[in-house]
Structures are given as C-alpha cells and as structure tokens.
Amino acid sequence: ATMTNISSLDYESCEALDDLLFDCEITDCGLLPRTFWVPATAEPRCYLEKMALEIFHHHVPKSPSSNFFYDPDTSGAEWWVQLRPSPPGTGRYSMLASDDDNDKDDMAKSGISFHWDKDEDLRIMCGGSMYIHPHISTVTYLTDLGAPTMVLTKRVDPFTGEYVKVNHGYGAKHEGKGDGGGDHDENVTEGFVSWPKRGKHLSFDGRYLHAAPSDLMEDGMFEKQCKFESRDDMDEKEKKVLQRRHRRVTFLVNIWLNYKPFNVNPFPETMMNKLSDVDIMGEFSLFGKLDNTDNKRHCNGGECTVTDEKITISQGKAVVEALNEKSSSINDNDALLTTMTWPMGCGDDEKVQVSIPVKPIRNHCKMGSNVALVWKDGVDLTGSGN
C-alpha cells in the first residue's frame, strides 16, 4: 500500500476535499450505472476521471515498451465509489436494498460482502460461470473510518467458476482435481487486512477474493465513528458536509489491459456538470512526480505504508510476528482464535469461514495500518463455487 498526497491535505486548508466527497455521493446514486469507464488514452473530463487515470498510470506505463507491452486503445480504468453508511434515499445500497436486507444484520450495510472483481455482465450472459478479472484491483481510502479491506488468495477458474487452489509461486489447480506440480503446500491461504486511512492506496491481484467485513471492528465502533457534533446555528449544508466526512468512502479502480468489460461506459455526459472540474486541485498530483535522479517516486507529504504484523494460523493456534517497532506486544489470550463466517455476495449458499485472532487485528484500526495473514491449513469456502 502507498500513501497518496491526499494524506497531506486537511479539510480546513483544502475545500476541494469536501467537493471530492460530494462528487462521490453523486456518483453513488442508485439511478446511475454501478461502475464507469475511462479509456487509458482519454482526456479526463472531471476530477474523479483524473484520479482514475492517475491510478491507472501509477501501475501502468503511459507508453508501451519492450518491458511492458499493452494496447492503450483497448485498455483503461473501471471506476466507482462505495459509501457506508449509504446516503438515505439516494445512495446505491439504500435504494436497491430489499426489505429483507433492512430487517437483518446485513454486512453490506456497513461493509462490503466477499466477492471477486470481474466482468459482471459477461458472467451473467454466460450463465454465471465466466469470471474474467481485471489485472489489478485497487482501493483508495478517502476517509479514516469504517471496516478494513480483507483480501484472500482464493480464486475461481475463469471458465467454470469452480474454486481453485493457489499454489503460491506455481500457479493454481482445481480443488480436488489433478496435480499442480512443484514443491509447495497448496492448502496454504495467504491474505491481509488493510484498515482505512485517508489517502492510503491499496492494490492487489485482480483475481483475489476480497471484502470489507464490518464485524472485524469492535461492536459499536462504526456507529461511534459516524457520529459528529452539530451546533444549533449550523445550517443543512454544513451538516451535510460533516455527514460526508463521517462515512467510509472509498474510490475503487480496476485496471484492465487489452480488454474492456461489457456495458461499462463513461460517466454520462449529461451529468458531467454536476462533478468537480479536472483542475479543482490545481497542479496537485495524487502520487507525486518521478525523480530522474534516483528513479524513485517522491510523494509531497506522502509515504509508503508498511505491514506492521504477520499472523500465522496453524493447527488451531495463532503466532503473531511483529514486523516493525510500531507493533504492540500481545499476550496469549489476545491471540485466541475466533471462527468468523461471512456470506458471499454472489450466492445465498456460499460462505467464507476463517479462524483469526480478532484482538491483534483490531489493534491496528486507529493507526490505519496493515496486517499480513497466513492460514497454513487453508480457508474454507462452502457452496456451489460458481
């Protein structure tokens, strides 16, 4: 993960941050398409498109080379936002949630269900078994609060939708079928937890299973984070501004090379005047400029984040390894395992079940840091697998 230059800004000195959160609220409207497309060769029409292209070119060279060849004309960024809690009446989740969803403790109300990023419409057209993934999935946190992102190295076969075992460093094999070859332990599942921190940019293999499980937070923590004090003399506009600052807001960009997902189109031109202009932040750069002297990126006020701890789970026990001086010491009771079961977002009978020590993971919430995870005995996925 990398800290973008957004982390060096604050609301008092940069009004454009509030404009950015308002843009996210607009694009999250349930009447609009779920995601939007901006070609790699396009000129951005608004600041959100500019962000999407900056993120794309942070990972992909602007010009193909012998070391990194791709076709810019058929490549681009699929972008969208996630807001939790969803704005009542207009937010995508608020508008599309069923009555049953409102009556039960649904993880999607305060977090994001487990899923694979994919060409959604192609999967539906192919009967639910075709999984074409982006090359890279990314999450950029625009606020400090809410559920962490959790990524697991669990994959599906792109043509059948069946679960496959990842042979780390050796490719993958179908569960219970064939031989992947090589010296490895195919039962191992790796992953990580990334807590929100404003300006943090997270990227991972677009084939991996991921979510934002809200119950990794302490009970009542999210509700506490979303509260803010309002004065009697505060008008509705000021209250709305504070409300936007006290949501979990993420800007998502999937990087597609030599492929465009079906029915994902640019943000509607007729709505473009509702969004902030490209130059709302002037010459501000999300990732800084490339320094020709040492060939390293210098983020003006930003810095690369590090993983603070590594937790290895094996045979019913967890071993917590501190990776830097920021890690706090824990006792054996803190490392006790809790079995967590989460529904998949793509099927009622599919579930993810993991055993994790919740306390050490929660310790990183306020710092917005990262925790690496290794399950020596694997992670259970149950259900149809497609």
Side-chain angles (χ1 to χ4, degrees):
T2 304
M3 294 306 296
T4 69
N5 288 327
I6 289 176
S7 63
S8 66
L9 305 176
D10 59 67
Y11 294 113
E12 283 66 35
S13 63
C14 183
E15 295 181 2
L17 280 177
D18 286 317
D19 294 331
L20 180 59
L21 296 181
F22 188 30
D23 288 351
C24 290
E25 185 175 292
I26 293 171
T27 57
D28 182 61
C29 177
L31 298 177
L32 291 171
R34 191 184 69 86
T35 66
F36 308 99
W37 180 257
V38 56
T41 56
E43 286 293 327
R45 301 169 296 163
C46 62
Y47 190 73
L48 289 181
E49 285 192 345
K50 181 181 178 181
M51 280 181 62
L53 285 172
E54 276 199 76
I55 290 169
F56 180 91
H57 289 299
H58 178 66
H59 296 277
V60 180
K62 286 194 174 182
S63 300
S65 67
S66 57
N67 295 325
F68 196 116
F69 181 79
Y70 73 101
D71 180 8
D73 292 330
T74 57
S75 303
E78 178 188 16
W79 66 271
W80 71 104
V81 300
Q82 292 279 13
L83 307 184
R84 296 294 186 275
S86 180
T90 60
R92 173 163 300 279
Y93 179 80
S94 294
M95 291 185 68
L96 302 183
S98 65
D99 292 336
D100 290 339
D101 290 333
N102 292 323
D103 291 337
K104 65 184 180 182
D105 185 18
D106 185 0
M107 183 171 76
K109 290 181 181 180
S110 52
I112 312 295
S113 299
F114 272 94
H115 65 282
W116 285 277
D117 287 347
K118 55 196 173 294
D119 184 331
E120 297 280 0
D121 279 22
L122 179 64
R123 185 183 73 88
I124 294 171
M125 288 187 289
C126 294
S129 61
M130 179 71 76
Y131 284 73
I132 303 302
H133 305 285
H135 284 72
I136 303 173
S137 296
T138 76
V139 181
T140 303
Y141 303 95
L142 300 182
T143 56
D144 287 323
L145 53 90
T149 305
M150 187 176 194
V151 179
L152 304 175
T153 57
K154 302 296 287 187
R155 289 166 42 192
V156 288
D157 184 288
F159 299 110
T160 66
E162 294 179 339
Y163 301 140
V164 297
K165 289 184 177 180
V166 177
N167 304 328
H168 297 283
Y170 295 91
K173 61 173 280 186
H174 291 272
E175 293 213 13
K177 301 178 183 178
D179 182 7
D183 296 326
H184 55 269
D185 186 349
E186 63 198 20
N187 291 319
V188 172
T189 300
E190 296 180 354
F192 60 86
V193 169
S194 168
W195 286 96
K197 187 175 182 65
R198 184 163 57 85
K200 184 201 283 189
H201 174 72
L202 173 70
S203 61
F204 53 92
D205 190 321
R207 298 170 296 178
Y208 286 167
L209 182 67
H210 57 284
S214 52
D215 52 0
L216 284 181
M217 305 183 74
E218 293 181 5
D219 290 343
M221 174 60 75
F222 186 53
E223 290 76 11
K224 183 179 179 180
Q225 290 178 336
C226 292
K227 289 183 178 179
F228 59 90
E229 295 183 4
S230 59
R231 304 184 312 272
D232 292 337
D233 61 342
M234 190 176 290
D235 60 28
E236 283 302 311
K237 182 178 179 180
E238 290 177 294
K239 290 179 181 178
K240 285 285 188 182
V241 167
L242 289 178
Q243 189 177 48
R244 294 185 193 109
R245 294 179 185 179
H246 289 79
R247 292 185 184 129
R248 182 187 192 271
V249 183
T250 50
F251 183 67
L252 299 310
V253 175
N254 282 349
I255 293 172
W256 297 87
L257 300 179
N258 312 321
Y259 183 87
K260 176 182 174 295
F262 279 75
N263 298 325
V264 176
N265 299 305
F267 189 83
E269 183 66 38
T270 54
M271 289 283 291
M272 191 54 64
N273 63 345
K274 306 296 183 184
L275 302 181
S276 299
D277 292 337
V278 172
D279 59 357
I280 188 174
M281 291 197 184
E283 298 299 318
F284 178 83
S285 177
L286 203 59
F287 294 99
K289 297 181 180 179
L290 194 66
D291 187 286
N292 294 326
T293 309
D294 56 9
N295 202 33
K296 293 181 180 178
R297 289 189 179 274
H298 290 276
C299 301
N300 305 321
E303 59 181 6
C304 292
T305 66
V306 295
T307 299
D308 290 332
E309 285 180 345
K310 178 181 178 181
I311 302 176
T312 303
I313 299 101
S314 179
Q315 298 181 346
K317 295 182 179 180
V319 176
V320 181
E321 177 186 357
L323 300 181
N324 62 62
E325 65 278 2
K326 293 182 181 180
S327 301
S328 57
S329 60
I330 64 169
N331 57 47
D332 291 341
N333 289 332
D334 289 339
L336 293 177
L337 295 178
T338 301
T339 299
M340 312 286 282
T341 303
W342 296 294
M344 296 277 282
C346 51
D348 292 337
D349 62 337
E350 296 180 280
K351 297 182 184 299
V352 181
Q353 188 174 86
V354 301
S355 294
I356 52 174
V358 177
K359 181 68 180 295
I361 293 174
R362 286 177 175 170
N363 286 343
H364 294 271
C365 175
K366 292 183 179 179
M367 297 180 288
S369 50
N370 314 312
V371 181
L373 299 164
V374 179
W375 288 269
K376 292 288 189 180
D377 304 317
V379 166
D380 292 330
L381 298 184
T382 61
S384 61
N386 57 40

